[in-house]
Amino acid sequence: MSAEAGPIRILSVDDHPVLRHGIAALVAGQSDMSLVAAASNGREAIQQFRAHHPDVTLMDLQMPEMSGLDAMNAIRGEFPEARMIVLTTYTGDVQVLRAIKAGARAYLLKNSLHKELLETIRGVHAGKKALSPEASYQIAEHSTDDALTPAKSVSCVDLRREC
Amino acid sequence: MLEPSTPPHRSQKPAIYMEKIVVGKTPQPVGHELVVPPGSHHIELHFDAIELTSPERVRFQYRLDDVDREWLDADAAVTAVYTGLPVGTHEFHVRACNADGVWDRIGIVYKITQQPYFYQTTWFRLSCVAAFLALLSALYRLRLRQVAQQFNMRLEERVNERTRIARDLHDTLLQSFHGLLLRFQAATNLLSPGEARQRFEGAIDQAAQAITEGRDAVQGLRSSTVVRNDLPQAINALGKELASGETNPNGAEFYVEVEGTSRDLRPILRDEVYRIAGEAVRNAFKHAHAQKIEVEIRYDDRRLRLRVRDDGKGIDPKVLRKDGQPGHYGLRGMRERAKLMGGKLALWSELDSGTELELSIPASRAYETSVRRRSWLVERLARKDTKAKS
């Protein structure tokens, strides 16, 4: 997947059409990105990924039929190089920790998408592993070390507050 | 001259005796007493007296205790007839007067015992009363359980409804707002840098903040906030988060203390308890200007007790009397919640000496499974023991 030449190809997965449209609108204004596909649940996400091989996938965690986490695991099982950004509504979402463990490159709170989404996409595409543009890379490193303990999840919450 | 009809000893007592006894139609041996089997019988008591001088002038009177109120004159047949004797042992008295008309004061006493049917016995009646009381108490407990069940159902309904509303808000409204924000941002990005763009960005930031507030309120409504049996942990997490944030300008320290063995709380109460504790802790961080905020959770056999204490500036008595300013301390809401759970909420506060809030819920309402009940005596002994030790 040498996408460095062209625009960053993006797959957005979310069960809410309004949110998908919002992401599409935001991405459409960027010359270095293009939204190649969208999916409204995990199953669709896997199909779309197979069809389009996007550079970056934006994945909502809470979805009907097949959750974002399951879809992520399935996609990364098939395409270990897949770069994912997890979208979530809540801070302290336990699923986020699982998602990071499962190989998500970054996660974003939905209420900071308008500020951070584009930068995060660029960062992840450039190979960075981040939780948020300026956020510490620490956590992502920790999370792959070993199983997360509650203590670390607390520190995760703290760090997020700062960013 | 000697008159043959004139007796020599006039004052002699006639010797009375029971002559014959018939129960129903069956003659019974006289003996010392009569025992009548259960049931109502026709009883004839024949008596007579030996009076040698002038038997024709002897008159009799008889009386059966508990039946006859006074002495009755016997007729010529010298027989007393009774039907339906009361249960128990009675004395049958017979007295006679001699030829001179002198009544023998005492006469003879003959005992008659009417045996009872089992249902006429005292123990039977007592056990009837006991059975009745037991029935009453069983009915009472049944009713109590019904009421408790209704209460739980109502509470469960409320929790379910709240969860549904929260889910709807989260799944539709908030998500849509997020999406719309993105579109606004996309449009704003098209603007060339300048005042208009800055203003739009400011507005979008504020909108995002409003969504965050809405999201937090919705999260408060959700019932999944406290998972199984980790009330102390959940409160601890909340307190730690509050302590580390900008909500804690005084750098107050936060502790959670657990007494007694941790017990599973009923699911429908878990959230309520957490919410009350959360509100109290939030109040303490926000308003108290405290150095130390403490939560004490005590799993008692009789009740669940939760205390939130701070050493802050206390609450103005005027506010306390008004039961909380609207949207301020949320005291009224907490009270209502506590009451709905069958618990009690108490608050102590004085200016400059901190605030303490206590929530207590009876064990039967609070815990998933009620403890095996210790007897009253064991309980008392145990308490005495601990008192003696302390």
Side-chain angles (χ1 to χ4, degrees), chain A residues 2-3 14-15 19-21 26 29 35 38 50 54 57 69 87 95 99 103 114 117 130 136-137 143 147 162:
Chain A
S2 57
D14 198 300
D15 56 328
L19 196 81
R20 284 203 308 272
H21 292 156
L26 198 62
L35 190 72
R50 285 185 191 134
T57 304
L69 195 64
L87 309 182
Q95 293 225 44
H114 64 284
L117 178 67
S136 63
Y137 299 82
S143 66
E162 288 160 18

Side-chain angles (χ1 to χ4, degrees), chain B residues 123-357:
Chain B
W123 68 260
F124 178 79
R125 287 184 182 157
L126 280 180
S127 43
C128 274
V129 170
F132 181 67
L133 289 179
L135 187 74
L136 270 189
S137 93
L139 281 175
Y140 174 71
R141 258 177 294 166
L142 190 74
R143 178 77 193 125
L144 215 61
R145 203 182 304 168
Q146 264 181 353
V147 169
Q149 211 165 8
Q150 279 171 2
F151 162 85
N152 283 343
M153 266 168 56
R154 272 210 305 275
L155 199 58
E156 207 128 19
E157 264 169 34
R158 277 178 52 132
V159 170
N160 286 345
E161 175 150 314
R162 214 176 46 208
T163 312
R164 193 176 53 74
I165 293 171
R167 203 181 40 230
D168 284 356
L169 282 177
H170 172 261
D171 289 354
T172 57
L173 199 63
L174 287 179
Q175 304 297 328
S176 301
F177 282 163
H178 284 312
L180 288 173
L181 268 196
L182 291 181
R183 296 179 79 162
F184 279 126
Q185 184 67 49
T188 307
N189 289 350
L190 297 176
L191 295 173
S192 51
E195 213 195 323
R197 182 170 175 155
Q198 263 180 17
R199 284 195 187 181
F200 269 116
E201 276 173 349
I204 290 170
D205 277 348
Q206 278 187 357
Q209 221 160 12
I211 293 175
T212 307
E213 276 165 23
R215 180 205 70 193
D216 288 346
V218 166
Q219 193 173 27
L221 283 178
R222 297 204 128 187
S223 68
S224 56
T225 42
V226 190
V227 264
R228 208 172 155 70
N229 195 30
D230 61 352
L231 182 68
Q233 211 194 322
I235 293 174
N236 194 33
L238 175 75
K240 286 282 180 315
E241 197 176 333
L242 287 170
S244 66
E246 67 276 5
T247 40
N248 187 17
N250 309 290
E253 288 178 72
F254 180 77
Y255 303 97
V256 174
E257 202 176 299
V258 180
E259 282 181 46
T261 31
S262 161
R263 303 260 301 270
D264 278 1
L265 299 186
R266 292 202 174 177
I268 48 172
L269 290 190
R270 217 183 283 146
D271 291 323
E272 295 288 344
V273 173
Y274 172 74
R275 206 158 293 131
I276 288 177
E279 188 138 10
V281 170
R282 239 176 251 127
N283 279 341
F285 273 111
K286 226 192 245 176
H287 306 294
H289 300 291
Q291 298 298 308
K292 212 167 98 175
I293 295 165
E294 250 177 8
V295 177
E296 180 192 301
I297 302 164
R298 196 185 155 100
Y299 296 93
D300 211 321
D301 274 359
R302 289 157 175 267
R303 66 183 76 85
L304 169 75
R305 202 186 67 192
L306 184 133
R307 280 184 178 158
V308 180
R309 260 194 300 269
D310 68 63
D311 59 354
K313 69 181 171 80
I315 302 176
D316 192 328
K318 279 185 220 149
V319 177
L320 270 187
R321 236 173 289 130
K322 266 197 284 177
D323 223 6
Q325 292 163 2
H328 201 54
Y329 291 94
L331 277 181
R332 188 176 299 160
M334 286 197 261
R335 280 235 163 88
E336 274 167 15
R337 280 179 192 150
K339 209 170 148 194
L340 200 71
M341 287 188 283
K344 264 189 294 189
L345 189 89
L347 189 108
W348 297 274
S349 185
E350 259 174 59
L351 281 177
D352 297 323
S353 53
T355 304
E356 178 169 329
L357 180 132

Side-chain angles (χ1 to χ4, degrees), chain A residues 45-119:
Chain A
I46 298 170
Q47 288 165 4
Q48 297 289 5
F49 197 98
R50 285 185 191 134
H52 296 279
H53 297 273
D55 299 322
V56 175
T57 304
L58 306 175
M59 182 74 79
D60 185 21
L61 287 179
Q62 278 183 18
M63 286 184 295
E65 285 193 55
M66 189 182 200
S67 80
L69 195 64
D70 292 343
M72 252 186 66
N73 282 326
I75 291 171
R76 283 187 55 88
E78 236 174 284
F79 309 94
E81 288 305 305
R83 292 172 182 177
M84 310 258 188
I85 298 171
V86 167
L87 309 182
T88 178
T89 310
Y90 295 111
T91 48
D93 194 336
V94 214
Q95 293 225 44
V96 169
L97 296 161
R98 291 203 200 114
I100 292 169
K101 260 205 89 190
R105 294 298 178 100
Y107 91 78
L108 285 172
L109 286 176
K110 283 187 179 172
N111 62 349
S112 62
L113 285 185
H114 64 284
K115 272 188 170 171
E116 300 178 352
L117 178 67
L118 299 174
E119 279 312 302

